[in-house]
Amino acid sequence: MTNKSVIFFDIDGTLLNHEKELPASTKESIMKLKEAGHIVAIATGRAPFMYEELRKELGINTFVSYNGQYVVLNGEVLYANPLNITSLIKLTEDALQNEHPIVYMDHEDMKANVPEHPFIKESIDTLKIKQFPTHDPHYYKERELYQSLLFCPVGEEKQYEEKYDDFDFVRWHPVSVDILPKGGSKAKGIDKIVEKLGVSKENVYAFGDGLNDIEMLTEVHNSVAMGNAEDVVKSVAKHVTDSVEDDGIYHGLQMVGLLK
């Protein structure tokens, strides 16, 4: 058992503001945590390749990606939970008939099963990342996929939810839905790291703002919701800090006693 604290941060709306920028106070706070000997980690729905530059800027090499499906501790893969490929192929066939494109994602890249589609561009552009899925309809072959993206208007994902019970479908954009292994979550990914590090639950912290942070903020002993979070997210957290735009990370770390 170690006396160190480990602090998990969501990215979008938590570490990064709504312009996908890292506030100066947030970066300074992260550096102070590390100087004090704490372990700083990321817990996000993003793929690892989508925030490699952020990890380098902050010197972070422990993270939970894909909402718990791909977990890395000190630069080494600790846990991986891939999608059921047989079910994904069947879902792809159904989606193609409905003119709903799919993007396949592993830990290194993402590929679309159609050459182009306005829904793909519209949703991926909001992430403001350098990567954009290129066309490879067979990317699922001979590799493990940890998430896929289904592109369809709100409500049309219900037909897939009813048919594919080994997947969770989580909407993140008006025209896009995450496809994840059933029952996965950031909280479960965090558990893998905490168990391996031997950190007591009293020394585990988590900051988040989104609906996919609810389980994490519910289960982590010291949980902090951002001021810009929805009310349902705030309701499950132990603390609520200011918004990401108003130095919320800095104030939240002060609130829980990790910074003076």
Side-chain angles (χ1 to χ4, degrees):
M1 189 73 71
T2 177
N3 290 323
K4 290 182 178 180
S5 292
V6 56
I7 307 100
F8 293 89
F9 294 96
D10 170 53
I11 293 180
D12 299 289
T14 301
L15 285 179
L16 300 184
N17 63 24
H18 300 300
E19 298 301 319
K20 306 304 179 186
E21 299 168 336
L22 179 69
S25 64
T26 296
K27 183 174 181 178
E28 182 179 351
S29 298
I30 297 298
M31 297 309 172
K32 286 183 177 179
L33 288 176
K34 294 175 66 179
E35 288 170 7
H38 300 303
I39 301 166
V40 179
I42 286 173
T44 180
R46 288 192 181 208
F49 57 83
M50 290 182 176
Y51 59 101
E52 187 173 359
E53 290 185 3
L54 178 64
R55 297 201 307 273
K56 288 180 179 178
E57 182 175 359
L58 296 177
I60 294 175
N61 58 6
T62 294
F63 53 90
V64 175
S65 280
Y66 288 132
N67 289 318
Q69 315 314 314
Y70 191 81
V71 179
V72 170
L73 174 62
N74 296 323
E76 300 292 332
V77 179
L78 178 64
Y79 173 75
N81 183 33
L83 293 164
N84 182 308
I85 294 299
T86 301
S87 294
L88 184 62
I89 292 171
K90 292 178 181 178
L91 187 152
T92 298
E93 292 171 353
D94 288 346
L96 282 172
Q97 290 184 352
N98 296 324
E99 298 185 355
H100 294 158
I102 301 281
V103 165
Y104 306 114
M105 309 174 77
D106 63 4
H107 62 293
E108 295 178 324
D109 206 351
M110 56 181 170
K111 300 288 185 179
N113 70 335
V114 297
E116 59 183 21
H117 194 282
F119 285 0
I120 297 178
K121 178 172 174 50
E122 178 183 340
S123 56
I124 298 296
D125 279 354
T126 65
L127 297 175
K128 297 187 178 180
I129 57 176
K130 293 181 179 179
Q131 302 89 346
F132 192 83
T134 52
H135 182 219
D136 183 353
H138 304 296
Y139 195 67
Y140 60 83
K141 292 184 177 179
E142 298 181 2
R143 59 172 41 87
E144 291 187 334
L145 302 176
Y146 304 104
Q147 180 173 301
S148 289
L149 303 178
L150 170 69
F151 297 86
C152 64
V154 173
E156 293 187 20
E157 71 274 20
K158 294 186 182 301
Q159 60 188 299
Y160 305 103
E161 293 173 348
E162 294 169 357
K163 187 173 181 180
Y164 297 97
D165 56 9
D166 47 0
F167 296 145
D168 281 332
F169 296 85
V170 182
R171 183 165 290 278
W172 65 277
H173 186 276
V175 297
S176 188
V177 174
D178 290 336
I179 304 172
L180 293 161
K182 189 75 173 182
S185 70
K186 291 184 183 183
K188 292 183 179 178
I190 287 172
D191 285 344
K192 301 291 183 183
I193 292 174
V194 169
E195 181 180 353
K196 186 69 174 181
L197 290 174
V199 179
S200 68
K201 65 179 183 179
E202 290 80 12
N203 290 334
V204 182
Y205 298 76
F207 286 69
D209 74 299
L211 297 177
N212 64 338
D213 294 320
I214 287 177
E215 189 168 347
M216 173 179 78
L217 296 177
T218 301
E219 296 191 14
V220 169
H221 187 76
N222 304 288
S223 59
V224 183
M226 303 300 290
N228 46 277
E230 294 184 30
D231 288 342
V232 65
V233 179
K234 293 177 181 178
S235 71
V236 302
K238 310 299 189 301
H239 308 275
V240 178
T241 185
D242 296 325
S243 77
V244 62
E245 308 285 356
D246 297 319
D247 303 322
I249 293 297
Y250 170 70
H251 292 301
L253 290 169
Q254 282 190 317
M255 186 182 300
V256 297
L258 288 174
L259 289 182
K260 295 182 180 179

